[in-house]
Amino acid sequence: WIYRQLFVQSASPRDVPPLNANSRFSPTAAERNVPRALQEWHPINVIDSPGGPAVNLVSLGSPRPSQLLKKNKRKLVRNFDTRTMPVEEFVRAVDRHEFGVPARTIFVSFKVGRCGSTLLDMMLVRDPRFLLVAEPGVMNSVRKVIRGDDKGAKDLRQRTFSALVKMMAVPLTSKQEVAVLDLNSQSTNAVSDIVAGANMAKAHSFFLWRNPIEAADSFLGKPPGWLRHRYSVH
């Protein structure tokens, strides 16, 4: 429900399928034979747990996406069940397509602030061939939890990123052939691991850029909330 906000905003209720097992159109034989329960869960963040790193998931159940969020798109209309899944178990479940089959083509977009990504999102979300995954916060939590630069930690981070990319790229409708994951600017802190994970998922990565002087002028002219709260501009 978090990373599909723009999809929800642009579609009418009759066009948005339920986010449960029945929302997967034209399922493959492998998908038809997997446990349906897992297809109702979606990632929120990666957390520390007594057994090691785990993915925190929320259950959407059967309601339509338009019923999940209030008008400001920030608060749930009602509470939903959550659960945690050890990272290694999560990776295996994704590889078995227990969350659904990813789109045939996946793009992962990195960006800086005020680079025009909102305009790109608005164009993509109006094309039925594209699934837009808008700024998934779960990507920013991976490096905070799976720390270290040793080979084991890097391998686990990259496999976690790969699994998250594939899971979030599962189409919502039969027309969606391409998934675009529009990561927020904080994701650049882990760009090397995310790109490596995206490569493992056979996804294409690209970076949206803007002249730094133009970006700074945009921030000063119309500062976002976080900038207004932290700094005074004279």
Side-chain angles (χ1 to χ4, degrees), residues 5 22 45 48 59-60 73 81 86 105 117 137 147 167 171 186 191 217 223 225:
Q5 292 181 47
N22 296 325
N45 55 16
D48 277 317
S59 174
L60 297 182
K73 306 300 179 185
D81 294 333
T105 304
S117 62
R147 296 177 294 271
M167 178 187 182
Q186 297 179 38
V191 62
D217 183 66

Side-chain angles (χ1 to χ4, degrees), residues 110-197:
F110 298 89
K111 65 187 178 186
V112 295
R114 304 297 170 85
C115 66
S117 62
T118 300
L119 175 60
L120 175 61
D121 287 353
M122 292 174 64
M123 292 188 293
L124 292 177
V125 80
R126 285 165 173 76
D127 190 326
R129 297 172 299 174
F130 289 87
L131 166 67
L132 175 64
V133 183
E135 300 192 353
V138 64
M139 303 295 278
N140 300 329
S141 62
V142 175
R143 190 172 180 84
K144 296 177 182 178
V145 174
I146 308 176
R147 296 177 294 271
D149 293 323
D150 58 282
K151 184 177 179 180
K154 292 187 67 173
D155 176 70
L156 182 58
R157 278 199 304 270
Q158 291 172 8
R159 289 190 293 113
T160 303
F161 281 128
S162 176
L164 288 170
V165 167
K166 289 186 287 187
M167 178 187 182
M168 292 187 291
V170 174
L172 296 177
T173 74
S174 59
K175 294 181 180 180
Q176 291 172 340
E177 301 176 355
V178 181
V180 179
L181 280 64
D182 174 22
L183 307 186
N184 62 31
S185 56
Q186 297 179 38
S187 298
T188 56
N189 295 327
V191 62
S192 59
D193 285 334
I194 296 177
V195 169

Side-chain angles (χ1 to χ4, degrees), residues 10-224:
S10 66
S12 63
R14 64 181 179 182
D15 295 328
V16 182
L19 283 181
N20 61 8
N22 296 325
S23 69
R24 312 302 183 190
F25 289 76
S26 303
T28 64
E31 189 175 359
R32 283 194 296 268
N33 294 328
V34 300
R36 289 192 172 188
L38 280 184
Q39 295 191 14
E40 298 180 359
W41 295 89
H42 297 267
I44 299 299
N45 55 16
V46 175
I47 60 174
D48 277 317
S49 69
V55 180
N56 197 23
L57 303 161
V58 62
S59 174
L60 297 182
S62 59
R64 295 177 180 272
S66 57
Q67 298 173 328
L68 300 182
L69 300 176
K70 292 183 178 179
K71 292 183 179 180
N72 62 10
K73 306 300 179 185
R74 295 179 185 274
K75 296 181 180 179
L76 284 173
V77 174
R78 63 182 178 85
N79 294 325
F80 289 85
D81 294 333
T82 60
R83 61 167 290 186
T84 58
M85 178 181 287
V87 163
E88 292 288 5
E89 180 184 342
F90 172 77
V91 171
R92 290 192 296 269
V94 172
D95 289 340
R96 292 193 297 264
H97 293 164
E98 294 183 9
F99 293 101
V101 179
R104 288 179 291 183
T105 304
I106 306 172
F107 291 97
V108 178
S109 168
F110 298 89
K111 65 187 178 186
V112 295
R114 304 297 170 85
C115 66
S117 62
T118 300
L119 175 60
L120 175 61
D121 287 353
M122 292 174 64
M123 292 188 293
L124 292 177
V125 80
R126 285 165 173 76
D127 190 326
R129 297 172 299 174
F130 289 87
L131 166 67
L132 175 64
V133 183
E135 300 192 353
V138 64
M139 303 295 278
N140 300 329
S141 62
V142 175
R143 190 172 180 84
K144 296 177 182 178
V145 174
I146 308 176
R147 296 177 294 271
D149 293 323
D150 58 282
K151 184 177 179 180
K154 292 187 67 173
D155 176 70
L156 182 58
R157 278 199 304 270
Q158 291 172 8
R159 289 190 293 113
T160 303
F161 281 128
S162 176
L164 288 170
V165 167
K166 289 186 287 187
M167 178 187 182
M168 292 187 291
V170 174
L172 296 177
T173 74
S174 59
K175 294 181 180 180
Q176 291 172 340
E177 301 176 355
V178 181
V180 179
L181 280 64
D182 174 22
L183 307 186
N184 62 31
S185 56
Q186 297 179 38
S187 298
T188 56
N189 295 327
V191 62
S192 59
D193 285 334
I194 296 177
V195 169
N199 289 340
M200 294 168 62
K202 299 182 179 179
H204 309 278
S205 302
F206 65 94
F207 200 98
L208 293 175
W209 184 252
R210 186 178 182 182
N211 183 297
I213 300 300
E214 295 178 354
D217 183 66
S218 176
F219 275 116
L220 289 174
K222 190 177 180 182

